[in-house]
Amino acid sequence: MSNTEQILKEKLTEENYSKLMAVDNTKIHEFVADAIELANPKEVFVCTDSAEDVKRVREMAIKVGEEGKLTIAGHTYHFDGPEDQGRDREITKYLVPQDQTLSKALNQIDREEGLKEIRGLMKDCMKGRTMIVRFLSLAPAGSVFSIPCLQATDSWYVAHSEDLLYRSAYDYFCTLKKDDNVFCFLHSAGELNERNVSADVENKRVYMDYTIDTIYTVNSQYGGNTMGLKKLALRLTIRKADREGWLAEHMFVSGVHGPGGRKTYLAGAFPSACGKTSTAMLPSEKILGDDIAYFRKIDGKVRAVNAENGIFGIIQSVKEDSDPIIWDVLHKPGEVIFSNILVSDKNPYWLDMGQDIADKGINFTGDWTKDKKDAKGNAVPCAHKNARYTVTLDALENCDPELNNPNGVELGGVMYGGRDSKASVPVQQGFDWAHGIISYGASLETETTFAIIGAEGKIEINLMSIQDFLAIPFGKYIQNNVEFAKDIKNPPLVFGVNYFLRDKEGKFLNGVRDKHVWVKWMELRVHNDVDAIKCPTGMIPCYDDLVKLFKQVLDKEYTKEDYVNQFTIRVPENLAKLDRVEAYHKENIPNNIPLVYETMEKTRKLLKEAQAKYGDYISPFDLI
Ligand code: GTP
Ligand code: SPV
Ligand code: MN
């Protein structure tokens, strides 16, 4: 008997052993055996797709106190510690072998040194606890898109969340060959305090060994750090997609209805907490996914799938009138996990929910009352800004019926948008695929948000909204995107959007519902049903078309004044942004494709020519 087999036989009950052995894959057996030796759990629970196994996960999360029951049947809550409320860039590192380099903008550590550190921290970390082993698939299981993922964790909450967010795939795993590759994730919440949250915050780590597609997380519970299939897998997927010639993106996908009953699929990349879910959940349209999408070329078309099967969505500002569908799911029986909300009398409350909030309860800081102050004397909010809900997509009445289509959906357009208060117009279309990818995606500048631990509102470049997850050279990623559509006859249109443009006084120039008009305009552009005005940075909507759309979609009058305020080309702001973006590329992206600089130079020239002719602030009416 091999050493691996011996370890597994010793630790696993007969039942669990045979469940694991039914998956005849060497990497999986070796990974689980190694995890057992390292983490030293009291037992291993091999979770198949059976209703009984899944139920056990749900029940254990409550039994051990990682989740608590709320009044409505099926609803539970979970808390992460006060310093574990978002993705944590500082402690998230790539393990880089000595003979390799990654972009210096990425956090990294020498592979040997990092492995020693993380394995040291994980030594015996599951002592007295159960290791749960789950078999899941990114994208529909068994399709050309699917990636088998193995999660080992000592958190029933993580195992439960993944049940809602990803496709169960035990049966699919049973069809794998011995030497097939699988992404492997080992997570431990580490030492827990009396509130069942990770106590050793100093030693929180997420270390990614891309050389063997294995990721370790310890001393954290927050979803984005712990659920292997979310942003951890995305790093590995980007490398796989690079090797195989497709794209993995931080994008939502939605089906937008157009004239004559047609439906057009649009995808969009926005940095964390900048608008993916909000755009994918537009009323009367269909949601296919809200966070991670894969694109492949199939029969000469770009086709997209959702890597996920559920939503880990920001709950702040979810209100009955503006978000009726998600509100309904959050208020009727069914499986929902609320994280980092306020719980009072077994009911959930969150920031800006449009209703009175209880005066006291428990939240991510422990017992909470409305006058609670932190150590610095600042008021503690009832819930964290990054509080979230976890639900399956098919719980939503607007879930797109193509969610599980193994060939995905044909994509009509993609959009890029960040929090840009000064420069970009609310919506514009790239002159062609490459122009859009470079001018909107690779030039994306945004303000940091509460979804990432650290200062909020800091302006930074975030390439394609995916920079945190780029485990290949940035230049190669841009090149892959630019070249992706080269051999496609009618590639998806590329749009730049900006929901966060402000006026001189700092007031937002658009309401949150205006994005619906922009999306409908994009849908019409995909089918060439409306004209657009050429301006230095792209093609912008004509006033008359927006008047019609604002009326149709929002029943609103759209004035010339609104249009001019929103679509004035701000030349100095655009030139300054261009300089910042170009400097960033020069500093951080060696071997960048020349087309990036050529495109920037062309835009600069167009902006300067227009400036000489019309001045610093150019009304769209001047450009007709
Ligand atoms: P992740 O799940 O973190 O990847 O983020 P996401 O891109 O799905 O974020 P989401 O759409 O949930 O972002 C929501 C945040 O942006 C919330 O705080 C919203 O209130 C805010 N937001 C969304 N749309 C608009 C808008 O049109 N205008 C303004 N001002 N804020 C908006
Ligand atoms: C994000 O931060 O982009 C999220 C939430 O979607 S998570 O990745 O889970 O932290
Ligand atoms: Mn995200």
Side-chain angles (χ1 to χ4, degrees):
M1 203 189 315
S2 72
N3 195 25
T4 298
E5 262 176 75
Q6 202 172 336
I7 296 165
L8 296 174
K9 260 224 156 95
E10 256 170 41
K11 188 61 88 176
L12 272 60
T13 61
E14 215 167 289
E15 189 193 349
N16 283 295
Y17 182 78
S18 62
K19 284 193 219 166
L20 186 63
M21 285 302 149
V23 178
D24 188 13
N25 179 277
T26 310
K27 181 173 180 183
I28 290 175
H29 297 169
E30 287 176 356
F31 170 79
V32 175
D34 177 63
I36 289 169
E37 284 223 294
L38 179 65
N40 191 19
K42 77 165 192 277
E43 61 180 2
V44 178
F45 169 50
V46 176
C47 181
T48 68
D49 304 346
S50 75
E52 192 190 338
D53 284 2
V54 173
K55 183 162 165 256
R56 173 152 188 238
V57 170
R58 213 165 36 225
E59 288 174 354
M60 285 303 291
I62 292 167
K63 190 163 172 213
V64 303
E66 283 189 88
E67 290 176 35
K69 279 191 184 184
L70 292 165
T71 307
I72 298 177
H75 291 204
T76 59
Y77 63 89
H78 162 83
F79 291 118
D80 304 303
E83 287 162 83
D84 197 20
Q85 293 288 317
R87 283 189 294 107
D88 195 335
R89 283 175 173 168
E90 216 166 291
I91 54 83
T92 304
K93 296 182 186 172
Y94 293 97
L95 301 173
V96 185
Q98 258 166 11
D99 58 346
Q100 293 183 20
T101 48
L102 277 190
S103 168
K104 64 179 180 191
L106 295 171
N107 205 0
Q108 52 203 286
I109 183 167
D110 171 72
R111 179 168 181 266
E112 295 306 315
E113 186 188 333
L115 277 175
K116 204 167 146 211
E117 183 189 351
I118 190 93
R119 291 182 69 91
L121 290 170
M122 293 190 101
K123 187 82 200 121
D124 294 332
C125 63
M126 295 187 186
K127 211 168 166 186
R129 279 190 243 169
T130 305
M131 178 191 290
I132 307 135
V133 177
R134 297 219 57 166
F135 307 87
L136 303 154
S137 172
L138 285 163
S143 76
V144 61
F145 289 93
S146 61
I147 303 175
C149 292
L150 188 95
Q151 174 83 58
T153 175
D154 59 7
S155 165
W156 296 95
Y157 159 71
V158 167
H160 181 202
S161 301
E162 288 182 330
D163 201 55
L164 301 180
L165 292 175
Y166 302 99
R167 291 154 175 113
S168 311
Y170 180 73
D171 293 344
Y172 169 47
F173 270 72
C174 289
T175 69
L176 293 182
K177 294 196 204 65
K178 245 189 168 60
D179 57 355
D180 278 344
N181 189 32
V182 172
F183 290 178
C184 291
F185 305 97
L186 178 60
H187 163 250
S188 170
E191 197 187 312
L192 300 177
N193 69 12
E194 68 292 346
R195 300 180 48 236
N196 269 313
V197 303
S198 295
D200 191 1
V201 289
E202 289 299 307
N203 285 314
K204 176 171 37 158
R205 298 286 184 278
V206 180
Y207 280 10
M208 300 173 286
D209 190 352
Y210 61 78
T211 66
I212 53 163
D213 288 328
T214 298
I215 294 181
Y216 305 87
T217 296
V218 68
N219 296 317
S220 174
Q221 289 169 311
Y222 174 72
N225 300 326
T226 61
M227 295 188 273
L229 284 81
K230 211 163 188 44
K231 298 308 185 333
L232 309 187
L234 185 54
R235 275 94 166 186
L236 307 179
T237 309
I238 287 170
R239 292 181 70 88
K240 181 175 162 67
D242 173 49
R243 292 192 297 270
E244 297 174 355
W246 51 280
L247 299 174
E249 299 294 337
H250 190 200
M251 287 195 184
F252 78 84
V253 182
S254 79
V256 177
H257 298 285
R262 75 184 176 213
K263 186 165 63 172
T264 307
Y265 289 95
L266 300 176
F270 298 70
S272 304
C274 292
K276 288 182 298 303
T277 312
S278 322
T279 310
M281 287 292 296
L282 284 171
S284 79
E285 315 298 354
K286 295 283 183 201
I287 180 169
L288 189 108
D290 84 323
D291 203 41
I292 301 168
Y294 300 161
F295 298 171
R296 276 181 185 264
K297 289 179 276 193
I298 300 175
D299 297 334
K301 308 269 190 228
V302 176
R303 298 190 68 94
V305 290
N306 181 5
E308 308 185 287
N309 194 38
I311 307 188
F312 181 50
I314 295 169
I315 200 167
Q316 177 181 209
S317 303
V318 169
K319 296 195 211 37
E320 186 167 15
D321 55 349
S322 56
D323 311 272
I325 296 174
I326 192 67
W327 183 271
D328 181 49
V329 173
L330 301 182
H331 287 84
K332 69 178 186 201
E335 242 179 303
V336 182
I337 309 172
F338 295 83
S339 56
N340 304 316
I341 40 103
L342 171 71
V343 180
S344 181
D345 262 346
K346 296 204 167 167
N347 291 314
Y349 298 87
W350 54 90
L351 291 165
D352 191 27
M353 70 188 289
Q355 290 190 349
D356 290 343
I357 285 169
D359 292 346
K360 60 179 177 22
I362 37 170
N363 76 0
F364 67 104
T365 64
D367 288 330
W368 179 86
T369 51
K370 73 174 192 238
D371 49 9
K372 184 167 182 175
K373 302 269 191 305
D374 66 15
K376 290 183 188 142
N378 300 316
V380 176
C382 68
H384 196 274
K385 285 184 185 175
N386 199 28
R388 293 188 181 240
Y389 57 85
T390 302
V391 295
T392 58
L393 268 164
D394 63 9
L396 304 174
E397 68 180 53
N398 58 340
C399 174
D400 193 88
E402 300 298 315
L403 174 63
N404 288 314
N405 186 333
N407 289 319
V409 295
E410 184 184 339
L411 212 55
V414 298
M415 66 190 86
Y416 293 95
R419 294 187 182 236
D420 173 359
S421 59
K422 293 206 174 87
S424 307
V425 292
V427 63
Q428 57 189 330
Q429 180 195 327
F431 299 132
D432 55 40
W433 172 269
H435 173 265
I437 295 288
I438 292 168
S439 306
Y440 311 138
S443 303
L444 198 133
E445 202 179 43
T446 192
E447 288 170 22
T448 52
T449 64
F450 50 78
I452 294 160
I453 292 178
E456 230 182 280
K458 244 181 61 202
I459 294 171
E460 63 177 19
I461 309 282
N462 188 336
L463 294 177
M464 265 84 150
S465 307
I466 204 170
Q467 189 163 312
D468 278 358
F469 319 118
L470 280 186
I472 60 171
F474 290 3
K476 185 73 197 319
Y477 173 75
I478 296 169
Q479 183 181 3
N480 290 349
N481 269 268
V482 167
E483 288 178 0
F484 183 68
K486 249 190 180 159
D487 48 357
I488 298 279
K489 198 156 156 239
N490 290 308
L493 302 185
V494 185
F495 300 94
V497 292
N498 181 17
Y499 304 157
F500 299 90
L501 188 66
R502 295 177 195 254
D503 64 14
K504 280 200 207 81
E505 281 74 48
K507 222 173 91 260
F508 286 121
L509 279 169
N510 290 103
V512 291
R513 296 183 65 202
D514 293 2
K515 59 171 74 65
H516 205 164
V517 171
W518 315 146
V519 164
K520 290 288 205 196
W521 180 78
M522 291 180 228
E523 199 280 335
L524 294 173
R525 286 295 294 166
V526 169
H527 298 277
N528 223 351
D529 285 351
V530 284
D531 280 335
I533 303 167
K534 186 163 189 246
C535 77
T537 54
M539 311 283 291
I540 61 172
C542 303
Y543 174 62
D544 292 348
D545 294 321
L546 291 185
V547 169
K548 275 189 224 145
L549 285 172
F550 266 94
K551 190 71 200 163
Q552 267 169 27
V553 180
L554 303 176
D555 195 24
K556 257 172 72 173
E557 306 303 323
Y558 187 62
T559 66
K560 283 192 171 157
E561 195 189 347
D562 287 338
Y563 178 63
V564 170
N565 284 338
Q566 294 163 13
F567 286 90
T568 284
I569 307 302
R570 304 174 176 198
V571 179
E573 285 82 353
N574 274 286
L575 284 172
K577 178 179 162 190
L578 204 51
D579 288 347
R580 288 191 297 274
V581 173
E582 193 180 54
Y584 179 88
H585 277 247
K586 286 197 168 136
E587 187 181 338
N588 291 287
I589 314 184
N591 309 319
N592 211 346
I593 50 171
L595 189 62
V596 166
Y597 298 113
E598 287 160 27
T599 305
M600 289 180 188
E601 197 41 48
K602 256 190 212 154
T603 306
R604 184 178 282 116
K605 193 161 159 265
L606 288 172
L607 280 164
K608 285 192 170 160
E609 280 168 11
Q611 189 180 36
K613 201 158 163 197
Y614 304 107
D616 281 350
Y617 297 93
I618 308 170
S619 160
F621 288 116
D622 287 344
L623 298 170
I624 299 172

